């Protein structure tokens, strides 16, 4: 293993800021192969060809393809977006297909055993494939001597602004490790967002707690907060980029600023002053533990009532028993948690509280678990994240006497059954709600919006509605979300932006770019491969838009009919969200192309043309034969 400080000493030059290296004047481009036709080279020839290209380009930084896999929380997601942005800015291609990548970058989570086990499996797979590997995130930062990390390059949680250097050296065959904490990475690094309309904004790293079960503190360390000016500046930047939701993220949002002499309410008040007055961009406050907001509840409630702030807060309780909370060293009581929930619910109309529960913590008696069940039944939280206790190596709880796994699983199932019996959204049918639409549902039919209380609303609407706000009528409710029909669009977003976001969201990974389809960054920049620009057409529009250039040059009847047909379909799609009278099935049918008068006339004209050509051919054939 070599130290990266020695490897890059004197080689950086040029004065480029960390994480944003100056691009090379000449780069190699990986060859592209059409996905729509078979590979005629064959497996053996393709392998030889790929090896030849790899040997030619392997020493040229910025010509390779990177596969990024992210585990864990939204803070980890933001870190991955920052690392992807820097790699993309330097010229690397990003791909969601590990098989076609030249290097794998795994951003890890150490909160639970399953996520770390998945990471270890992926590392083993990468080593078996003999691919260069860089591991980032909380696992290497908190467990740097882990056996699975032997021979692997590592970038620490506060060194993500140097990911390009780590990747470069790893591709050269060096093993490098950057774990020393020097300073917080700057917020204005290049970024490739998973969702073009959502900015995950880390406001601080680390926390002030010392929970006996938590491994994250080992990785993220003590509290380190960004300044209010830097955060407000970032908010202004992303709003100008077209972001419609800003998620404030950290290990404990409520602890923000205590290391630099400010607090969370001061930050929130500064941010809401720069949010657009038309309420087109919403703010979501991230997870906060009870101890650090108890003294600010009224100020927090005032911010949560603001029209540009979701009336939603994630407040983990972890247990309904004071005895268990003491063993966890959570630094609050159940009564104090109740104070937080009761005060916010009273002061903020439509307030929604989400919480976390750990089942089977060491020493949790049947009585303790019953108190947890009672707390959940009393408040009927719309969202409860239930997890079984996992002993994390190096934590005090790992040395405590464990409860049998069968008991832990049984308690988890029981609590899940209690929670799933709730119907938190009953009674919403027929109500009119304003929603902010930012995502596409996994079914590919609905768009996903959220109410002021961050209740998920599914609507059938054209992709042009992405990034907009609308009034919808709630038609039915489910256990996890509600369904609505569009009544009125309140603000619109540039169609080009919405179309680009469809390309982003349709991919399976946060960074799903190949050399054939470039990354969807916050700007419509050329592809990282240098080959082409991002595809900016929706699924519905693309078949029609391909004829635009030809139609503009055509003065024939068929050209006129094609333009009329395109305009009719477009008006149908745009009218779906404002009609408010169609059922969900009728709205779905609007997405299907129907045969109208113009369609029949066009088809008839084509048939007549074909018959005429056939008759002419037969006539000419007869004359030739005579």
């Amino acid at each position: 293993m070599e130290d990266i400080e020695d490897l890059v000493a004197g080689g950086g030059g040029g004065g480029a800021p960390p994480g944003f290296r100056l691009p090379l004047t000449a780069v190699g481009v990986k060859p592209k192969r059409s996905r729509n036709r078979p590979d005629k080279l064959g497996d053996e020839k393709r392998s030889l060809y790929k090896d030849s290209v790899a040997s030619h380009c392997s020493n040229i930084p910025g010509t390779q393809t990177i596969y990024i896999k992210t585990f864990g929380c939204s803070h980890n997601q933001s870190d991955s977006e920052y690392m992807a942005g820097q790699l993309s800015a330097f010229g690397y291609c990003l791909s969601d297909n590990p098989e076609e990548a030249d290097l794998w970058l795994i951003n890890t989570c150490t909160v639970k055993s399953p996520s770390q086990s998945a990471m270890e499996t992926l590392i083993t797979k990468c080593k078996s494939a003999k691919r260069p590997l860089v591991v980032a995130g909380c696992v290497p930062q908190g467990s740097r001597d882990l056996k699975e990390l032997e021979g692997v390059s590592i970038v620490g949680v506060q060194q993500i602004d140097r990911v390009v250097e780590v990747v470069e050296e790893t591709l050269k065959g060096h093993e490098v490790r950057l774990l020393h904490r020097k300073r917080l990475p700057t917020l204005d690094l290049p970024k490739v967002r998973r969702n073009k309309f959502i900015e995950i904004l880390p406001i601080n790293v680390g926390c002030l707690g010392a929970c006996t079960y938590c491994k994250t503190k080992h990785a993220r360390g003590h509290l380190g907060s960004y300044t209010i000016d830097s955060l407000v500046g970032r908010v202004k930047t992303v709003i100008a980029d077209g972001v419609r939701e800003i998620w404030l993220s950290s290990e404990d949002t409520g602890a923000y600023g205590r290391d630099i002499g400010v607090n969370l309410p001061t930050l929130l008040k500064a941010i809401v002053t720069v949010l657009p007055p038309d309420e087109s961009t919403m703010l979501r406050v991230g997870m906060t533990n009870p101890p650090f907001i108890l003294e600010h509840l009224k100020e927090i409630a005032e911010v949560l009532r603001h029209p540009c702030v979701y009336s939603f807060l994630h407040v983990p309780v972890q247990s309904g028993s004071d005895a268990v909370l003491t063993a966890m060293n959570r630094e609050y009581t159940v009564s104090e948690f109740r104070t937080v929930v009761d005060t916010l619910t009273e002061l903020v109309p439509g307030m929604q509280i989400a919480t976390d529960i750990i089942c089977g913590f060491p020493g949790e008696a049947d009585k303790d678990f019953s108190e947890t069940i009672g707390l959940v039944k009393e408040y009927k939280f719309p969202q409860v994240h239930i997890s079984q206790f996992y002993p994390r190596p190096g934590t005090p709880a790992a040395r405590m006497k464990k409860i049998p796994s069968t008991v832990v699983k049984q308690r988890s199932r029981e609590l899940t059954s209690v929670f799933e019996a709730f119907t938190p959204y009953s009674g919403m049918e027929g109500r009119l709600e304003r929603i902010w639409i930012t995502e596409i549902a996994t079914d590919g039919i609905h768009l996903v919006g959220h109410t002021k209380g961050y209740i998920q609303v599914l609507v059938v609407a054209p992709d042009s509605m992405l990034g907009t706000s609308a009034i919808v009528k709630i038609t039915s409710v489910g256990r996890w979300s509600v369904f609505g029909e569009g009544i009125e669009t309140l603000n619109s977003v540039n169609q080009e932006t919405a179309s680009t976001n469809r390309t982003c969201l349709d991919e399976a990974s946060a960074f799903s770019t190949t050399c054939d389809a470039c990354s969807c960054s916050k700007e419509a920049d050329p592809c990282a491969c240098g080959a082409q620009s991002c595809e900016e057409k929706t699924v519905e529009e693309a078949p029609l838009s391909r004829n635009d250039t030809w139609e503009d040059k055509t003065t024939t009847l068929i050209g006129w009919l094609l333009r009329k047909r395109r305009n009719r379909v477009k008006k149908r799609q745009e009218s779906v969200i404002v009609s408010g009278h169609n059922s969900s099935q009728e709205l779905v049918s609007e997405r299907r192309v129907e045969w109208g008068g113009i369609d029949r006339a066009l088809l008839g004209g084509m048939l007549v043309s074909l018959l005429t050509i056939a008759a002419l051919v037969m006539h000419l054939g007869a004359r030739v034969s005579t």
Side-chain angles (χ1 to χ4, degrees):
M1 180 180 70
E2 301 178 67
D3 192 290
I4 196 169
E5 304 295 345
D6 298 329
L7 290 171
V8 301
F20 197 97
R21 303 289 299 279
L22 296 176
L24 299 177
T25 55
V27 298
V29 179
K30 290 172 65 70
K32 294 183 289 184
R33 175 164 48 89
S34 172
R35 299 177 180 177
N36 298 322
R37 60 175 182 265
D39 185 3
K40 297 180 180 179
L41 287 175
D43 292 339
E44 183 178 353
K45 292 183 179 179
R46 181 171 67 250
S47 177
L48 292 173
Y49 180 64
K50 182 177 180 180
D51 291 342
S52 174
V53 174
S55 64
H56 177 70
C57 297
S58 59
N59 294 324
I60 305 178
T63 62
Q64 295 85 1
T65 299
I66 312 296
Y67 166 68
I68 301 179
K69 175 65 177 178
T70 305
F71 295 93
C73 64
S74 61
H75 197 161
N76 259 22
Q77 183 64 58
S78 178
D79 286 350
S80 289
E81 292 177 352
Y82 273 124
M83 289 190 285
Q86 294 168 82
L87 292 168
S88 179
F90 191 61
Y92 290 100
C93 287
L94 307 175
S95 174
D96 66 336
N97 183 358
E99 301 302 324
E100 67 182 19
D102 300 295
L103 177 142
W104 293 11
L105 171 58
I106 305 174
N107 195 2
T108 61
C109 173
T110 190
V111 171
K112 298 179 183 180
S113 297
S115 61
Q116 184 163 331
S117 297
M119 172 215 73
E120 293 169 357
T121 300
L122 196 59
I123 289 176
T124 301
K125 183 179 179 181
C126 183
K127 289 181 177 179
S128 299
K130 297 182 179 179
R131 302 291 173 85
L133 174 63
V134 175
V135 178
C138 293
V139 171
Q141 189 74 66
S143 305
R144 62 187 69 186
D145 297 326
L146 200 65
K147 181 180 179 181
E148 286 76 12
L149 298 178
E150 292 179 2
V152 172
S153 290
I154 290 174
V155 57
V157 294
Q158 293 187 21
Q159 299 280 9
I160 60 172
D161 55 349
R162 299 184 64 182
V163 66
V164 172
E165 301 170 47
V166 176
V167 166
E168 284 180 4
E169 298 303 325
T170 302
L171 286 167
K172 293 175 184 177
H174 300 133
E175 177 193 342
V176 294
R177 298 195 170 197
L178 277 181
L179 292 169
H180 181 64
R181 299 182 181 91
K182 295 181 179 179
R183 54 180 173 76
L184 296 178
T186 180
L187 293 172
D188 58 0
L189 295 169
K191 197 170 191 179
V192 175
R193 298 188 189 92
R194 177 181 182 180
N195 185 322
K196 197 173 183 67
F197 297 116
I198 297 177
E199 166 74 7
I200 304 173
L201 179 60
I203 63 174
N204 56 264
V205 299
C207 69
L208 295 175
C211 300
T212 56
Y213 57 84
C214 184
K215 184 76 172 178
T216 305
K217 179 66 176 284
H218 294 193
R220 294 285 181 178
H222 199 65
L223 182 68
S225 302
Y226 286 96
T227 65
I228 290 180
D229 288 343
S230 65
L231 291 167
V232 171
R234 179 65 181 175
V235 168
K236 291 179 180 178
T237 298
V238 301
I239 290 174
D241 289 342
V243 162
R244 298 307 183 206
E245 279 188 12
I246 299 172
W247 298 358
L248 302 186
S249 177
S250 75
E251 284 64 57
D252 186 357
T253 303
Y256 168 79
R258 290 174 178 257
D259 58 320
I260 57 174
V262 293
N263 56 42
L264 180 62
T266 304
L267 171 65
L268 296 178
K269 290 175 182 178
I271 289 177
V272 296
T273 60
V274 300
L275 296 177
D278 63 355
E279 303 169 21
S280 58
T281 300
M282 295 293 288
L283 181 70
R284 194 185 85 171
V285 182
M287 185 275 290
T288 179
N289 289 310
F292 302 112
I293 60 170
L294 277 167
E295 61 189 271
H296 301 301
L297 282 177
K298 291 186 178 180
E299 294 174 280
I300 296 291
E302 180 184 353
V303 173
L304 293 174
R305 289 196 300 266
H306 192 281
C308 293
V309 181
Y310 285 119
S311 304
F312 169 85
L313 199 60
H314 179 192
V315 187
V317 64
Q318 305 298 7
S319 175
S321 165
D322 283 339
V324 175
L325 290 178
T326 299
M328 291 178 172
N329 196 29
R330 289 290 288 170
E331 301 180 342
Y332 60 86
T333 64
V334 176
S335 176
E336 289 173 328
F337 173 79
R338 290 177 182 273
T339 299
V340 171
V341 177
D342 293 343
T343 302
L344 294 179
T345 302
E346 177 186 355
L347 298 180
V348 183
M351 184 70 196
Q352 298 283 306
I353 300 286
T355 195
D356 297 346
I357 302 286
I358 296 176
C359 292
F361 189 82
E364 181 186 62
D366 290 340
K367 178 179 177 294
D368 298 320
F369 181 67
S370 296
E371 291 176 349
T372 299
I373 291 286
L375 183 71
V376 173
K377 285 183 175 179
E378 177 183 352
Y379 284 99
K380 293 182 171 60
F381 300 104
Q383 297 181 38
V384 179
H385 308 117
I386 302 169
S387 62
Q388 301 173 29
F389 170 73
Y390 294 103
R392 307 303 295 133
T395 63
R399 299 189 295 271
M400 298 178 182
K401 185 178 180 179
K402 301 176 183 60
I403 295 175
S405 59
T406 54
V407 176
V408 176
K409 293 178 181 178
Q410 186 274 329
R411 288 177 180 175
S412 176
R413 287 193 295 266
E414 182 179 346
L415 182 57
T416 300
S417 178
V418 168
F419 166 64
E420 291 183 349
F422 301 154
T423 54
Y425 308 129
S426 60
M428 289 187 67
E429 298 93 333
R431 280 167 47 179
L432 298 182
E433 293 279 353
R434 180 173 182 175
I435 65 171
W436 288 263
I437 304 172
T438 55
E439 301 176 76
I440 299 170
T442 54
D443 62 9
I445 298 175
H446 295 86
L447 300 185
V448 180
H450 291 92
T451 67
K452 175 83 161 58
Y454 211 68
I455 298 172
Q456 181 174 273
V457 182
L458 302 179
V459 294
V460 178
D463 295 344
S464 58
M465 292 301 297
L466 284 168
T468 69
S469 178
I471 299 295
V472 299
K473 180 180 180 181
I474 305 302
T475 57
S476 61
V477 301
R479 176 59 187 85
W480 313 108
S481 57
V482 303
F483 296 83
E485 291 181 349
I487 300 297
E488 179 185 2
T489 304
L490 299 180
N491 53 56
S492 60
V493 69
N494 186 284
Q495 179 62 42
E496 180 178 295
T497 302
S499 303
T500 305
N501 198 58
R502 163 66 92 168
T503 307
C504 291
L505 296 176
D506 278 346
E507 302 293 350
S509 170
F511 313 108
S512 52
T513 306
T514 67
C515 287
D516 296 318
C518 60
S519 57
C520 301
S521 60
K522 62 184 180 181
E523 298 177 0
D525 290 329
C527 178
C529 317
Q532 61 192 47
S533 295
C534 284
E535 193 69 30
E536 297 180 355
K537 297 178 177 64
T538 63
V539 173
E540 289 83 359
E541 290 178 328
L544 299 175
S545 301
R546 291 189 189 104
N547 295 319
D548 287 349
T549 303
W550 179 79
E551 288 180 41
D552 293 338
K553 297 178 180 180
T554 303
T555 58
T556 64
L557 175 62
I558 293 179
W560 176 82
L561 287 172
L562 285 172
R563 286 193 296 272
K564 293 289 288 182
R565 170 179 164 77
R566 180 192 62 184
N567 293 335
R568 181 176 66 83
V569 173
K570 183 177 180 181
K571 288 179 179 179
R572 273 180 174 274
Q573 290 179 338
E574 292 176 345
S575 67
V576 171
I577 194 63
V578 298
S579 65
H581 300 293
N582 295 342
S583 66
S584 295
Q585 292 298 324
E586 291 171 335
L587 286 169
V588 172
S589 69
E590 291 290 348
R591 285 179 172 258
R592 302 190 183 100
V593 178
E594 300 173 356
W595 289 95
I598 293 177
D599 302 298
R600 295 189 180 93
L602 180 58
L603 181 60
M606 293 171 65
L607 290 174
V608 169
S609 299
L610 289 173
L611 291 173
T612 302
I613 293 172
L616 288 172
V617 171
M618 293 175 63
H619 176 69
L620 290 173
R623 292 188 60 182
V624 170
S625 63
T626 57

